[in-house]
Amino acid sequence: MVFSIIRTHYNKRIAANPYIVGTFACIGGGLFGLDISSMSGVLSNPAYLKTFHNPGSNAQGAIVASMPAGSLIGALLVTKLADWLGRKLTIISASLIWILGAALQSINQNRGMLVAGRIIAGISVGMSSAVVPVYQSEITAPSIRGRLVSFQQWSITWGIMLQYFVQFGCSYINGTASFRIPWGLQMIPAIILGIGMMWFPESPRWLMDHDQEREALQILADLHGGGNVDDKLVVLEFEEIRQQVDFERQEGAKSYADLFKPGVLRRVILGCSLQMWSQLSGMNVMMYYIIYVFQGAGLTGRRGNLIADSVQYVLNMLFTVPAIIYIDRWGRRWMMILGSFFMGIFLCLVGGLQGGYGEWGNVDGSPVWVINNQPAVTKAIIVCSYLFVCSFAVTMGPASWTYPAEIFPMRVRGKAVSVSTATNWLFNFALAWAVPPALTSIAWKTYFVFATFNFAATIHFLFCFPETAQRTLEEIEEVFNQGHTFTAWKIKRDVGKKDLDDVLADKVEKRSVQVKESV
């Protein structure tokens, strides 16, 4: 009863504003950003190092990796929760879990408590990262869907930047308060998210799938028709959703086996591989361990390193803006292709400069491949790192969240997106743990490893990923019905486009076929 009241209660004025209703839930993405810089900002903090007994590369990797380990669990939980509770209640649940995890981190007394807090917070991040893009894709109009889902990535960049500046300011405080205060303040966005979602509508597609057609139609009208249930776009979407739900029910009950059915398996592979490539691009490594990267480049001094790091986080936030504005015009496909290609180029430059001018040295008692007395080379590496981050921010960052959220049929969307997102967290976990030891063993060669992954991703995107921009979620079905599994460029951008007359004609045709079959 309580769940039903929360699910059906919403503010019509909020629902009528596509940018408010489509972006508020992105605070859930911001939680991931908060976590990234909550660790990257303390790696050189003397109080942190003293409290946790100067963790070595493997121990520090394990501490960082505990969050994506929890996120993997959280993303998999969404396979059930998003279909059972609904999108709205799942987001609210994630905010409550984050509050618990952040509180535990801020009062921790040892590594065990810190890791436990990060795992719990990670469960929240995994849930949010899987369900928020689904929620956004299901409530926004096709013409701006990519733009609004891209806010998920932008909120991550804001979370990274804001938390980093809080960490920077608190670094002037002596003692453990320098890291406990920033970790405790992470609860505030989650409180805002959990309370604020009470006034937002449930996904109309989820309601339709749970036999609440009247509520779904009214929400569609409030979202896209100014409250008018007879608006053409509202009727078009309502009929498309109803036809899709009816078709999927005829196909049988929902199960994990559906993910392996013809037509769906291809999309599951695309969604999972895109999330895999987004991690193997090396971007989150540059976010988590940028202090180590600039330290190896020869940038000395804690304050100087922190300032250089902050510039990177600001660039990450700023260069996401063009992608948000133009993703529906540029399309997803070429953003991914060009982004992965240029990221590979800049990583090769960083690795080449490191390998050509660096040598093994010792920093704070640890072996580090470092560049000494080469200010021009140090600046070049920093610039290439910045260009790498900008390349990701304006291309792969937004596209990697938008694409998986829109390519799956309704009946498996919750499960499929959560599996795709779980892939993201699986590789995030592995890389977060593996990169610190890699930087102390193979050093500059690490950058060439990630460059190779980016070039492989470029080829994969070119051949296998069709364009999905400017179509309703139901029209995307026709895109994948075209085939072209390994020749994605042959699918034209007008494939699948329909108007209301087309949808109603399809409806009449399907009914006539059903009548003939019954006779």
Side-chain angles (χ1 to χ4, degrees):
M1 183 66 179
V2 175
F3 284 178
S4 178
I5 293 174
I6 295 174
R7 187 180 293 122
T8 56
H9 172 74
Y10 68 95
N11 185 293
K12 292 181 180 291
R13 293 181 64 184
I14 289 177
N17 190 313
Y19 287 95
I20 293 178
V21 77
T23 60
F24 181 80
C26 289
I27 294 175
L31 301 181
F32 176 32
L34 293 175
D35 175 81
I36 288 177
S37 51
S38 74
M39 287 308 302
S40 64
V42 300
L43 293 180
S44 61
N45 186 325
Y48 169 83
L49 296 173
K50 181 180 179 181
T51 302
F52 299 105
H53 309 295
N54 294 295
S57 60
N58 187 59
Q60 184 58 58
I63 292 171
V64 173
S66 59
M67 191 282 295
S71 299
L72 174 61
I73 298 170
L76 292 174
L77 285 175
V78 169
T79 60
K80 288 290 187 182
L81 290 177
D83 290 333
W84 176 52
L85 288 177
R87 315 326 191 195
K88 177 179 176 178
L89 282 170
T90 303
I91 295 172
I92 294 173
S93 301
S95 67
L96 296 176
I97 295 172
W98 174 268
I99 293 170
L100 175 61
L104 191 57
Q105 288 178 74
S106 64
I107 64 172
N108 74 82
Q109 300 300 313
N110 51 51
R111 289 185 192 176
M113 286 185 67
L114 175 59
V115 168
R118 286 181 58 73
I119 290 174
I120 293 172
I123 292 173
S124 169
V125 171
M127 291 171 61
S128 298
S129 62
V131 74
V132 168
V134 172
Y135 177 75
Q136 292 175 293
S137 68
E138 291 182 346
I139 64 172
T140 54
S143 59
I144 58 172
R145 185 179 62 244
R147 180 180 301 173
L148 296 186
V149 177
S150 295
F151 271 92
Q152 168 83 348
Q153 177 63 23
W154 202 39
S155 68
I156 294 174
T157 68
W158 271 101
I160 294 172
M161 186 182 70
L162 292 176
Q163 178 71 358
Y164 193 83
F165 281 122
V166 171
Q167 294 273 11
F168 185 86
C170 290
S171 69
Y172 290 91
I173 301 174
N174 293 323
T176 60
S178 62
F179 60 85
R180 293 190 191 279
I181 292 175
W183 289 352
L185 290 175
Q186 293 179 111
M187 290 185 281
I188 296 175
I191 294 171
I192 295 172
L193 175 63
I195 295 175
M197 281 301 298
M198 299 285 189
W199 284 270
F200 282 73
E202 178 57 272
S203 160
R205 286 171 170 83
W206 185 88
L207 291 170
M208 288 278 285
D209 199 36
H210 288 75
D211 299 314
Q212 299 179 53
E213 291 192 3
R214 186 175 65 180
E215 292 87 348
L217 177 59
Q218 186 58 56
I219 288 176
L220 282 172
D222 292 331
L223 288 170
H224 308 314
N228 179 14
V229 295
D230 296 319
D231 181 86
K232 277 196 171 185
L233 175 60
V234 172
V235 176
L236 171 63
E237 277 204 276
F238 182 78
E239 290 296 336
E240 284 189 325
I241 295 169
R242 183 158 61 182
Q243 287 183 27
Q244 188 65 28
V245 169
D246 290 343
F247 171 75
E248 290 169 355
R249 286 177 176 173
Q250 293 171 14
E251 292 288 296
K254 303 172 185 176
S255 71
Y256 285 100
D258 291 340
L259 300 181
F260 298 94
K261 287 187 175 180
V264 177
L265 178 60
R266 173 191 174 189
R267 289 181 251 187
V268 171
I269 293 173
L270 292 180
C272 290
S273 59
L274 174 55
Q275 293 285 16
M276 175 191 73
W277 290 130
S278 74
Q279 289 301 314
L280 294 179
S281 70
M283 177 59 177
N284 277 337
V285 172
M286 297 292 271
M287 294 289 104
Y288 281 129
Y289 299 119
I290 188 60
I291 283 181
Y292 293 163
V293 174
F294 286 171
Q295 189 181 68
L299 186 62
T300 58
R302 181 166 173 248
R303 296 284 182 250
N305 207 319
L306 288 173
I307 293 171
D309 299 348
S310 67
V311 172
Q312 173 157 295
Y313 295 139
V314 172
L315 290 173
N316 187 28
M317 183 273 295
L318 291 177
F319 274 80
T320 304
V321 175
I324 292 173
I325 297 173
Y326 295 110
I327 187 171
D328 289 305
R329 184 183 304 177
W330 294 343
R332 291 59 156 145
R333 173 179 158 80
W334 279 104
M335 288 175 68
M336 294 185 290
I337 293 170
L338 295 175
S340 56
F341 176 76
F342 281 108
M343 283 189 289
I345 293 294
F346 292 127
L347 284 175
C348 284
L349 291 173
V350 171
L353 291 169
Q354 285 268 17
Y357 294 92
E359 60 185 4
W360 284 109
N362 190 289
V363 177
D364 297 330
S366 301
V368 175
W369 183 271
V370 64
I371 293 173
N372 291 313
N373 303 317
Q374 297 279 354
V377 177
T378 296
K379 292 176 183 177
I381 291 174
I382 293 173
V383 169
C384 288
S385 299
Y386 289 163
L387 291 173
F388 167 85
V389 169
C390 293
S391 298
F392 180 90
V394 79
T395 57
M396 273 283 285
S400 65
W401 293 110
T402 304
Y403 199 83
E406 62 189 7
I407 62 175
F408 297 111
M410 173 68 203
R411 69 195 307 268
V412 298
R413 188 171 296 134
K415 289 182 174 65
V417 172
S418 67
V419 169
S420 299
T421 308
T423 304
N424 178 301
W425 294 116
L426 177 63
F427 280 88
N428 191 316
F429 165 74
L431 293 174
W433 198 332
V435 166
L439 291 173
T440 59
S441 56
I442 62 174
W444 56 272
K445 297 174 186 175
T446 305
Y447 301 106
F448 284 105
V449 172
F450 286 109
T452 303
F453 287 141
N454 277 295
F455 293 135
T458 302
I459 296 171
H460 191 194
F461 297 148
L462 179 64
F463 282 92
C464 299
F465 283 69
E467 185 55 71
T468 56
Q470 296 287 338
R471 298 178 176 91
T472 67
L473 297 180
E474 288 67 38
E475 289 169 352
I476 289 174
E477 291 298 303
E478 184 60 29
V479 172
F480 285 95
N481 289 338
Q482 296 291 306
H484 299 298
T485 304
F486 301 107
T487 53
W489 64 83
K490 291 185 178 181
I491 301 176
K492 305 300 182 185
R493 289 195 65 165
D494 60 347
V495 167
K497 294 288 186 67
K498 295 180 181 179
D499 56 24
L500 181 57
D501 293 335
D502 294 330
V503 173
L504 294 178
D506 288 344
K507 183 178 179 180
V508 171
E509 183 180 347
K510 287 179 181 178
R511 284 184 176 176
S512 64
V513 170
Q514 290 173 352
V515 170
K516 289 180 181 178
E517 290 178 347
S518 63
V519 174

